[in-house]
Amino acid sequence: MTITQQIITVGVVVLGTMLTRFLPFFIFPANKPTPVYIQYLGKVLPAAVIGLLVIYCFKDVSFISGQHGLPEILGVLVVVTLHLWKRNMLLSIAAGTCFYMALVQFVF
Amino acid sequence: MNDISSTRAALKFAFPQTIPILAGFLFLGIAYGIFMNSLGFHAIYPILMSLFIFAGSMEFVAANLLLISFNPLSAFFLTLMVNARHLFYGISMLDKYGQLGHKKWYLIFGMCDESFAINSTLNIPNNLDKGKVMLFVTLLNQIYWVVGATIGGVFGSLITFNTEGLEFVMTALFIVIFLEHWINTKQHHSALLGLILSAICLAIFGGERFIVPAMLAILGVLTLLRPSLQKEKRAAL
């Protein structure tokens, strides 16, 4: 690829990414009433999308071969238990990550 | 509060929210920079791409696009597919970002997974300028990412310590945000649907192709449930 072709390729990726981010705001501008259905989606979507993001983190984990996702499952258990117990965001994340790193580096 | 002290208060509230992302983005950003370095790209590539694309997974995909034959149209449609989930973020943030005047342009530009997840669930105290808090969350996250990509791109080949498993920090972050949102809300239909429908789609379609089917499934079921969910919401008020 020439430099110009590279610039165009990156430019197209920027354009596509920004289109997915800006499109809802262009279709439903703040100065016009948003349809009730879209308002409803705006209220119920965030929880669902965060659920989607949680699952997204496991997209490259193989549950049927290798370690069957065992390090990931144990890591999730540590994060969830610790968080429900202490409700300290940084502690849950730091301890869960260190635990997972120890598992994949030394145990599995 | 005057302008400077309200800005400082917003930053003071926003920064702790982004500390997990500081760890995650520095690591992933460095990994991305190293990856670009290993493909033979000059450091300016990861720096500019992290600055202007600012969508982690897409930047890795874009690196591969630069290595195959020139085809901007297919690159464009691939980008739309990989980033389709942003459409849902936008719909969710219409209310929160739409009213913020000129701030909204940067907030929307920088709406990556992590900034969306934090800003959509954060309970910001009323005495703080909400727009400024969300702006700082977004800006700090992007700074971490660009700094990481720069370090990786420039010093990539020199970094040798064992970071295997550090990427789990992002998984832990999303789980904690999910739990916090769960604890702070009364209705859990939507959260459960997102989790279950996405898991089913991941099992059926695989990691590379499950997002768009999962989005359609979530949209479909939430639309079907709308009459009953809205009724419960009114009753709850």
Side-chain angles (χ1 to χ4, degrees):
Chain A
M1 248 192 235
T2 64
I3 291 286
T4 317
Q5 288 179 333
Q6 287 186 340
I7 293 171
I8 294 172
T9 303
V10 173
V12 156
V13 172
V14 174
L15 187 73
T17 304
M18 290 312 142
L19 192 63
T20 59
R21 284 184 186 162
F22 278 94
L23 198 61
F25 295 88
F26 288 144
I27 301 177
F28 308 110
N31 55 9
K32 286 197 197 126
T34 308
V36 186
Y37 172 61
I38 299 299
Q39 284 181 28
Y40 161 74
L41 285 182
K43 288 204 180 68
V44 292
L45 271 183
V49 177
I50 291 166
L52 171 70
L53 278 174
V54 170
I55 300 299
Y56 182 75
C57 296
F58 300 94
K59 71 181 173 66
D60 299 319
V61 178
S62 171
F63 290 97
I64 42 171
S65 60
Q67 285 123 26
H68 305 278
L70 200 59
E72 286 76 19
I73 293 169
L74 292 174
V76 171
L77 281 178
V78 167
V79 174
V80 172
T81 315
L82 207 54
H83 196 69
L84 294 179
W85 179 32
K86 293 280 184 190
R87 286 287 300 276
N88 180 330
M89 197 163 168
L90 287 180
L91 177 73
S92 317
I93 294 171
T97 305
C98 292
F99 175 76
Y100 178 81
M101 287 176 77
L103 276 186
V104 292
Q105 289 187 17
F106 304 117
V107 183
F108 289 97
Chain B
M1 255 196 277
N2 66 35
D3 215 40
I4 293 171
S5 71
S6 89
T7 303
R8 195 173 294 160
L11 180 60
K12 216 172 150 187
F13 182 77
F15 174 66
Q17 317 293 333
T18 66
I19 291 175
I21 319 231
L22 171 68
F25 270 15
L26 277 184
F27 166 67
L28 288 173
I30 290 173
Y32 171 63
I34 294 175
F35 176 64
M36 291 298 282
N37 187 301
S38 71
L39 295 178
F41 288 107
H42 186 271
I44 196 71
Y45 284 83
I47 293 170
L48 290 179
M49 285 161 76
S50 61
L51 202 55
F52 289 111
I53 305 176
F54 191 39
S57 48
M58 195 56 223
E59 287 167 41
F60 283 93
V61 176
N64 287 316
L65 288 176
L66 290 176
L67 296 172
I68 57 177
S69 59
F70 180 61
N71 188 342
L73 200 65
S74 88
F76 181 68
F77 284 110
L78 184 65
T79 309
L80 292 185
M81 297 248 287
V82 173
N83 286 329
R85 64 188 185 284
H86 292 147
L87 293 169
F88 277 16
Y89 302 172
I91 292 173
S92 305
M93 298 308 269
L94 281 173
D95 254 8
K96 284 189 170 169
Y97 286 176
Q99 323 285 343
L100 289 172
H102 58 274
K103 282 197 194 78
K104 79 172 178 199
W105 300 108
Y106 178 69
L107 284 167
I108 301 168
F109 165 82
M111 191 168 54
C112 63
D113 300 332
E114 294 73 13
S115 298
F116 161 75
I118 293 182
N119 284 341
S120 68
T121 54
L122 199 55
N123 284 317
I124 305 171
N126 281 326
N127 60 340
L128 293 178
D129 182 331
K130 292 193 164 63
K132 280 183 183 169
V133 171
M134 295 194 288
L135 198 71
F136 275 126
V137 167
T138 309
L139 181 65
L140 287 168
N141 287 346
Q142 186 166 19
I143 290 172
Y144 306 149
W145 179 250
V146 175
V147 168
T150 306
I151 295 173
V154 176
F155 304 105
S157 46
L158 305 173
I159 297 168
T160 50
F161 70 97
N162 191 354
T163 52
E164 194 193 349
L166 189 55
E167 71 282 358
F168 194 76
V169 72
M170 298 324 287
T171 309
L173 171 82
F174 289 129
I175 292 171
V176 168
I177 289 177
F178 183 85
L179 286 175
E180 278 296 312
H181 191 66
W182 182 282
I183 296 165
N184 291 326
T185 47
K186 285 205 182 73
Q187 276 203 13
H188 300 140
H189 304 78
S190 180
L192 275 177
L193 278 175
L195 216 52
I196 294 167
L197 292 174
S198 306
I200 294 173
C201 287
L202 177 59
I204 298 175
F205 297 98
E208 297 303 313
R209 277 184 296 245
F210 86 102
I211 292 204
V212 174
M215 285 173 61
L216 291 174
I218 290 170
L219 200 62
V221 176
L222 283 176
T223 303
L224 288 175
L225 289 179
R226 183 180 162 204
S228 62
L229 279 182
Q230 270 188 335
K231 208 180 287 165
E232 276 180 50
K233 212 157 236 166
R234 262 185 232 117
L237 291 171

